[in-house]
Amino acid sequence: MMKRIGMKVATLAAFIGLALTGCSGDDGQNGKDGEPGQPGQPSIPVATDAKVLTVEMGKISVGTQSDITFTVTNEKALPVVGLEKFGFILSGLEEGMEGDASNWSLLSSEACPASKYSECGTLTDNQDGSYRYSFVKDVTAEAAFDITDEKTLRLVLRTGGEAVGSTEISYANTHYDFRGQGEEALYSKNVVNNQNCAGCHDDFAIHGGKYTEVETCVSCHTDNKMGDASKVFPMLAHEAHIGVISAPVGGCDNCHSENEQATDFANWREVPTAETCVTCHTEVDFKEGVNHWPYADNSQCANCHTPDVIESLHLGTYQGQNERRKNLHLTVTDAKMISQPQAEENQGKEGSFVQVTIDILDKNGVSRNEQLDKVNYLYYAEFYINWGDHDQGLGFGEGVADGRGKVLRVHTNKGPYEGYSEKPIVVGYNNGKTTYEIGPFSMEDKFKGDVTDLYGTISPRIWFCMDAAGESIMDCDGETDWSNGAAGYNWLEFFNTEGLMEERPRRQIVTNELCGDCHGTTTSADGFVQMTLNCRNCHSKAGDGEFHGTTCVSGNVDSNEQILLKDLMPRGERDWTTASNAAEECMACHNANVVPTQVIRDAHTKQGDKDYVEQLTMSHPDQKVWIHAMHANNRANQSGEGWRRNVEYSADLANCAKCHTEDSFDAKYLVGRKPLALDLDYMDTYTDPTNPVNGRYAVDGVADAYVSPTAAVCLSCHGKRAAEEGEDRKQVRAEVVAHMKQNGAQFGVTLNEYTGEESCSVCHDLNNLKESHNLK
């Protein structure tokens, strides 16, 4: 299929040459001869240095002998002469007929200087910034494509890989779509481009960095060049991403999103072909009629697989999930910290308590006038609560004071583990609003003292049951109704001792949009965006035995009581995703007070290992550490050859701006933060040494050592080196640890030994961080 285009192709400006025409008029006399020029030297000012090269096309002649002219200038618009390294790819676009997609065919791929991979035609440097190139190949002899005056051709011109003055120029590709002898193209095919890819990737570059545009890939990875059909670009791209990327499988719009350059972004649903579909639907053999009736060609595909049907099949559960979510909303109408409990069950307990009032609203925002703990249509309704963040005038949270926080499990699919999923305590019900009391919360922090005047956070985890059509809420019977149900939208509320806070007190560090660039997003009709992040990608699920519902185990236990780690990969069903609020709600548990769990030790680091403390530090569940370490593949259960927990981050790890808003990665925000808690003797003191399976709960750790916060964050990315021969995993960089210790960092010290006197930000201020991370 092709798209006719009526826009003017600005890049095909008719550059004919740099010769200047004379003024009109004649004085009747011949002018004097000029001074003779120096052989081989330009007679006009030219660039002596360059950071960026700009290419402008001139004449294009395609045929038995194909020739092009072009000019190259630097960022100051000065001509660049003396260049010797270029690449030239010429392709043609065949318009799809009879259901086939429009396809590119490679006509010629040449480069100068010549190599074993490509020939070099005749390259002429005119010493004025203009160049001429004559192709070696007679492109009219390519059997896969007949050149006509109407068909679109594409020229990709590669520059870079050589020095201009003292600067080594990076590779760059420029593509030009045209027809005939350089005329404006009538149509083209641009399904995805670099703008689509930039959500997950940084600079797009493959094959040694020489090719930097998706338009280059589609021009060369064509069916007339690739002997293996899986190497043709659509199939190659699908295979590289499907089931591998962090966004849900089936979410075609993760990559096929609309932008001003991706004019054919909807091609995935408008032009169904067996060649493309089989890259995901590998169980289908269209030719032989396996799991699909036999077909002779693509001409009949669109009869059944219309754009609406295709979108519904791939995104219907995802889009339907958004629609279903609207049917029910659990809203917190009030939350506050109180110094004395009101509930009889909480009398005599030391500490303060949080009272939370919740109303059940329908899709119109009207109260259903039902007591939350007495309804039967909620598969689970849990509220994650913690306390202790505050500002100190810098606009950032100091860190919660109460360990893993508390979870108000009004309805839960968790097992009845003591101290983990207690029966909710109701202190009042009035006009549809149910008030619960949960605690106690400690109001004394080891490092901050009294924390009464701070604030807390509350965030829900909701799933309600519906009928198979997704139209009516119904009571959960434990069969199929909950799987037809919907996850409520996640949100984050802030509260203090007075009640809910109207303004957000915590600085914004990441956003749903930034995280969603890789993990996907869901967007409601009113524009509310949430990141699509499935916690079950990592965490245990039903069937994982004793661990399910109690720990962050990321796997299960075999008959020999060994940890079996799950693959870290996206879920297959798009409607099973969890809408997350930029993962902020995770901090209720993922904070500095929570020690790394037992699974980390049994998996890949144990007491007595020389790098035990450093491994625990990089495997810490604290939000600001585990996110960095996980993406950097530095946790203790990652980074081994062939290990299933490995993460291949698609962007440059040094690009802090990929995830952070503005300058939120400034090291000043770590100064004075709470140290990370460790439990170094956990192996000797966990719940039941005689029964390791039942003793590996994530809630029974006791802090006995601490790590400086800035060092922990920096170590999470910088703390390991690649494995060398004979080593089965990445190794801790002892020199980095030593450098940190020399500047005040402490690793694995007791509470009495901890001083909190890191000096990292003295040298590593914002400007230094930006410079060292190439962010300037």
Side-chain angles (χ1 to χ4, degrees), residues 39 168-169 176 183 206 211 214 283 305 316 329 333 357 372 436 445 477 583 628 639 723:
E168 186 75 18
I169 302 297
Y176 308 90
E183 298 175 353
I206 57 176
Y211 303 117
V214 176
E283 74 285 0
H305 300 283
H329 186 72
T333 61
T357 303
L372 179 59
Y436 299 91
D445 183 85
D477 61 14
H628 287 116
S639 76

Side-chain angles (χ1 to χ4, degrees), residues 365-385:
V366 178
S367 175
R368 292 175 61 103
N369 289 314
E370 297 171 310
Q371 186 168 328
L372 179 59
D373 52 284
K374 292 185 176 181
V375 302
N376 296 316
Y377 49 76
L378 281 158
Y379 182 56
Y380 53 75
E382 302 173 339
F383 298 83
Y384 290 75
I385 306 167

Side-chain angles (χ1 to χ4, degrees), residues 439-689:
F441 289 81
S442 173
M443 291 293 102
E444 285 294 321
D445 183 85
K446 294 178 181 179
F447 300 94
K448 299 297 177 183
D450 181 37
V451 294
T452 305
D453 61 343
L454 306 186
Y455 65 83
T457 60
I458 180 170
S459 182
R461 177 176 176 262
I462 305 164
W463 191 279
F464 53 92
C465 297
M466 301 190 72
D467 59 14
E471 297 176 352
S472 301
I473 295 173
M474 64 184 295
D475 286 351
C476 302
D477 61 14
E479 298 297 329
T480 60
D481 49 3
W482 70 270
S483 62
N484 296 327
Y489 276 113
N490 284 15
W491 34 258
L492 188 67
E493 295 280 6
F494 298 91
F495 65 93
N496 56 23
T497 55
E498 302 297 322
L500 292 178
M501 304 176 71
E502 293 184 2
E503 295 185 3
R504 175 189 174 91
R506 187 176 189 272
R507 70 187 178 105
Q508 193 76 48
I509 302 172
V510 297
T511 65
N512 288 333
E513 289 82 358
L514 284 169
C515 295
D517 280 341
C518 280
H519 292 283
T521 56
T522 60
T523 305
S524 62
D526 58 1
F528 179 59
V529 177
Q530 288 210 302
M531 173 179 56
T532 301
L533 177 65
N534 194 327
C535 302
R536 293 304 181 214
N537 290 354
C538 304
H539 290 280
S540 59
K541 59 181 180 179
D544 286 346
E546 293 294 327
F547 286 116
H548 175 54
T550 64
T551 70
C552 310
V553 69
S554 306
N556 60 6
V557 180
D558 68 7
S559 58
N560 295 317
E561 300 175 356
Q562 296 297 309
I563 300 298
L564 301 178
L565 296 177
K566 288 168 51 184
D567 289 335
L568 182 62
M569 62 188 304
R571 294 290 295 273
E573 301 87 1
R574 181 121 184 165
D575 60 334
W576 282 92
T577 57
T578 301
S580 175
N581 188 41
E584 283 193 292
E585 66 270 21
C586 303
M587 289 183 297
C589 293
H590 284 268
N591 57 68
N593 302 285
V594 183
V595 301
T597 59
Q598 179 66 19
V599 65
I600 296 298
R601 295 149 176 76
D602 272 7
H604 296 295
T605 187
K606 299 177 176 64
Q607 287 175 242
D609 291 348
K610 65 177 182 180
D611 57 358
Y612 179 53
V613 172
E614 290 81 6
Q615 292 281 8
L616 289 184
T617 299
M618 282 180 272
S619 301
H620 203 284
D622 186 28
Q623 182 91 334
K624 60 183 177 290
V625 172
W626 81 264
I627 286 183
H628 287 116
M630 184 268 294
H631 286 88
N633 211 42
N634 277 340
R635 289 170 63 81
N637 59 355
Q638 294 177 302
S639 76
E641 182 67 29
W643 288 5
R644 293 179 295 173
R645 306 297 294 165
N646 290 354
V647 170
E648 294 184 12
Y649 185 56
S650 55
D652 183 356
L653 282 168
N655 185 3
C656 307
K658 197 72 176 176
C659 302
H660 284 268
T661 62
E662 299 178 343
D663 294 335
S664 61
F665 55 87
D666 193 336
K668 72 179 182 182
Y669 295 125
L670 295 171
V671 176
R673 294 292 291 269
K674 291 171 64 174
L676 277 64
L678 301 178
D679 187 355
L680 298 183
D681 64 354
Y682 192 93
M683 291 289 287
D684 298 330
T685 60
Y686 59 72
T687 306
D688 184 358

